[in-house]
Amino acid sequence: MPVAPPYRPLVAGAAAAALVAALTGAALAGPASAAVPTSPAGPGSPAELYVDWESSTLQAAEGLTGQARDDAVLLGSFPSARWFTSGTPAEVQAAVDEYVTRADEQGAVPLLVAYNVPFRDCAQYSAGGAADTAAYTAWIDAFAAGIGDRAASVVVEPDGLGIIPWYTSSTGASEWCRPAEADPATAATERFAQLNHAVDALTALPGTKVYLDGTHNGWLGVGDATDRLIKAGVERTDGFFLNASNYQTTEKVSRYAGWLSDCLALSTQTWWQAEWCGSQYYPASPDDLSTWHLTDEAYDAAFASTGLTRDRAAQKHALIDTSRNGQGPWTPPAGKYTDAEDWCNPPDRGLGHTPTLATGDPVVDGYVWIKVPGESDGLCFRGTGGPLDPERGVQNPPAGGWFPTQAAELLAFASPAVERPTCAVRSVVHGTWPGGFVAQVWVTNTGTTTLQGWDLRFALTGGARVADAWSAAVSQTGQVVDAASLSWNATLSPGRTLTFGYVGAGDSGSTSLLRLLDGKACTVG
């Protein structure tokens, strides 16, 4: 975000040095200013999910003030998926390449969502998608080309297998999605062809993990989901994703993930048929966890019967969306609405597990935020004529728009709780000149614990580089700048403020709103 300075004199050469000295004053009376290392800092752990310093969440924060902005910045400090939903092949390739490049510079794994399949969401709130199979295959090929040989995880088409146009399931049930523009005789077959092409394009990449839509425990039964996954090419992927944009509890979704992994193994490696697989609906009862052991026992019997050894570490794995499931699903008031739309901006939901690739569950590769928390599900009318959401008494933002009320709820009701910031950062660009600028940063400890040594991370989003710095040891990797304490200013007591500054080379002093002090988000001024 561009920081508006109190004035913007144009200075250069010796005048720039004089300005730096005037601005730093007593700071320069300490040890000599820290020069920027000539080589970038080492990359982060390859198992670390990428935090996007230019995410849609942080972009939304730029237009907010007060607590709403603080909430958005805090949510933006966690990794969440980047959705790619449209564009020409050339446009999506360039956008994916830019995003993956930034993640690769940090040695982190980006989570990307490919969401452009024809008839996506069956022309509901998130309607759109490519015009036809040819357009989609060209788009997904370009998407894959944008990733190249770098590390990435890709969620392929949320709802792509949960909602299939003109589909008849393996149980004989007819899909409700019947768009008039789609050919009833070919639409379902085309959907599976499109997804298989996406699987082939993405699994050909050496560093990419690929996951297909497995819905969740409140939707398809295990056998039906298994059958659809197999038809879409899941055997060639890393597995499936669950609970995308939904609210099912992690406990239930994890149990469902294990059964789905088991059913896939039985159905692809033995004579077992997917429709025989136990599920959340039978022999278990979906709303009574005390019965779920019955389905566990059914799988024990199935493995014994087929002679296959269960090995969940080697079977297909899952990503679970925990972006809004901390309080579980919403139970609408009985009889209040003709269509409660319990999936659409339900009130008083909370964040679930914060994103991680270390789950301790052999089936679950990661708890991730596929849905960007704080972004609206759409205009929720709940069976009324609108335009207001009758449950909230306000008009919701359109799908994907920032919803400050919901963002505040997700933080307030998060389970586990999310730690609030204990630091505040203010930045000012004091002056610019052709090809450079000078900036100053103030860091305040607003917590109750003294910091012994500190590290502040921020990102220069305008392509600039740090050329020199004072009162901090500064390095830069890609767009991300690390400013670390020196021996004389390493202690930062509660209520105290310190300052450092830097000279930038480039035409812009623009920065992301996100500031991470020792890895945790700060409020920004």
Side-chain angles (χ1 to χ4, degrees):
M1 167 182 174
V3 181
Y7 59 94
R8 299 177 69 86
L10 295 177
V11 295
L19 176 60
V20 170
L23 292 170
T24 58
L28 284 178
S33 60
V36 180
T38 56
S39 59
S45 165
E48 178 182 322
L49 285 164
Y50 175 58
V51 175
D52 183 7
W53 297 80
E54 300 183 58
S55 67
S56 58
T57 301
L58 295 169
Q59 291 173 20
E62 293 181 0
L64 302 170
T65 59
Q67 189 61 52
R69 183 170 75 162
D70 291 345
D71 289 345
V73 170
L74 180 54
L75 288 170
S77 70
F78 295 100
S80 59
R82 170 74 180 273
W83 290 60
F84 297 86
T85 63
S86 61
T88 66
E91 289 169 343
V92 76
Q93 180 173 343
V96 169
D97 177 57
E98 179 183 11
Y99 182 69
V100 176
T101 295
R102 294 202 304 262
D104 187 58
E105 288 172 342
Q106 303 308 312
V109 179
L111 179 63
L112 299 83
V113 178
Y115 191 54
N116 196 39
V117 74
F119 299 107
R120 73 171 184 223
D121 200 34
C122 201
Q124 297 186 102
Y125 285 93
S126 298
D132 51 33
T133 297
Y136 182 70
T137 56
W139 186 89
I140 203 72
D141 286 347
F143 183 105
I147 297 173
D149 61 0
R150 296 165 296 188
S153 290
V154 180
V155 165
V156 179
E157 303 299 341
D159 296 341
L161 289 174
I163 305 174
I164 302 174
W166 293 98
Y167 182 61
T168 300
S169 74
S170 59
T171 63
S174 296
E175 180 66 74
W176 59 267
C177 176
R178 299 182 177 186
E181 314 92 289
D183 184 344
T186 61
T189 301
E190 289 171 353
R191 170 63 58 85
F192 288 116
Q194 292 152 6
L195 294 177
N196 270 278
H197 183 88
V199 166
D200 288 339
L202 293 165
T203 57
L205 305 176
T208 298
K209 289 190 172 185
V210 181
Y211 301 86
L212 289 168
D213 176 28
T215 72
H216 56 74
N217 59 279
W219 195 348
L220 297 182
V222 173
D224 190 5
T226 295
D227 181 69
R228 298 180 190 213
L229 284 165
I230 292 171
K231 290 175 181 175
V234 73
E235 292 176 78
R236 306 190 302 280
T237 71
D238 295 270
F240 45 89
F241 61 91
L242 303 173
N243 204 41
S245 300
N246 214 277
Y247 303 86
Q248 302 298 316
T249 63
T250 300
E251 179 182 10
K252 285 188 173 182
V253 181
S254 297
R255 297 279 289 276
Y256 181 84
W259 296 338
L260 191 48
S261 179
D262 287 348
C263 188
L264 283 166
L266 290 163
S267 302
T268 58
Q269 299 177 41
T270 77
W271 44 265
W272 192 264
Q273 296 183 35
E275 59 264 31
W276 300 342
C277 289
S279 76
Q280 71 276 35
Y281 299 117
Y282 183 82
S285 176
D287 297 322
D288 185 357
L289 272 173
S290 70
T291 69
W292 283 34
H293 71 93
L294 298 174
T295 295
D296 291 331
E297 293 162 6
Y299 280 99
D300 292 341
F303 278 98
S305 177
T306 59
L308 182 66
T309 299
R310 178 192 278 120
D311 183 0
R312 286 184 168 178
Q315 294 169 195
K316 294 302 177 185
H317 290 182
L319 293 178
I320 295 178
D321 187 355
T322 58
S323 60
R324 305 189 294 182
N325 73 341
Q327 297 296 325
W330 175 53
T331 302
K336 186 174 181 180
Y337 303 116
T338 58
D339 180 4
E341 296 179 330
D342 60 358
W343 54 269
C344 191
N345 297 330
D348 298 339
R349 300 304 91 194
L351 301 169
H353 287 291
T354 53
T356 179
L357 297 179
T359 68
D361 186 325
V363 170
V364 181
D365 282 347
Y367 301 133
V368 295
W369 288 358
I370 297 174
K371 170 70 176 180
V372 178
E375 292 187 353
S376 174
D377 293 313
L379 304 173
C380 314
F381 300 152
R382 311 193 194 284
T384 70
L388 302 184
D389 176 349
E391 187 63 23
R392 294 181 174 275
V394 298
Q395 182 170 327
N396 297 165
W402 189 255
F403 197 174
T405 301
Q406 188 185 69
E409 292 172 353
L410 291 172
L411 287 165
F413 294 100
S415 180
V418 172
E419 181 181 350
R420 294 288 181 163
T422 57
C423 51
V425 177
R426 184 168 70 92
S427 304
V428 171
V429 174
H430 282 298
T432 65
W433 55 92
F437 60 94
V438 60
Q440 192 166 3
V441 181
W442 291 264
V443 182
T444 301
N445 182 350
T446 59
T448 59
T449 303
T450 297
L451 301 180
Q452 296 291 349
W454 51 266
D455 179 88
L456 183 74
R457 301 189 83 197
F458 59 97
L460 293 174
T461 57
R465 306 289 300 179
V466 175
D468 198 3
W470 62 92
S471 299
V474 177
S475 61
Q476 185 172 355
T477 303
Q479 65 179 175
V480 178
V481 177
D482 277 278
S485 59
L486 301 174
S487 59
W488 59 273
N489 64 359
T491 300
L492 184 58
S493 303
R496 299 299 298 273
T497 298
L498 60 83
T499 186
F500 68 91
Y502 58 95
V503 176
D507 294 329
S508 173
S510 300
T511 63
S512 166
L513 266 184
L514 182 60
R515 306 288 192 276
L516 298 177
L517 185 65
D518 297 337
K520 298 179 181 179
C522 299
T523 59
V524 291

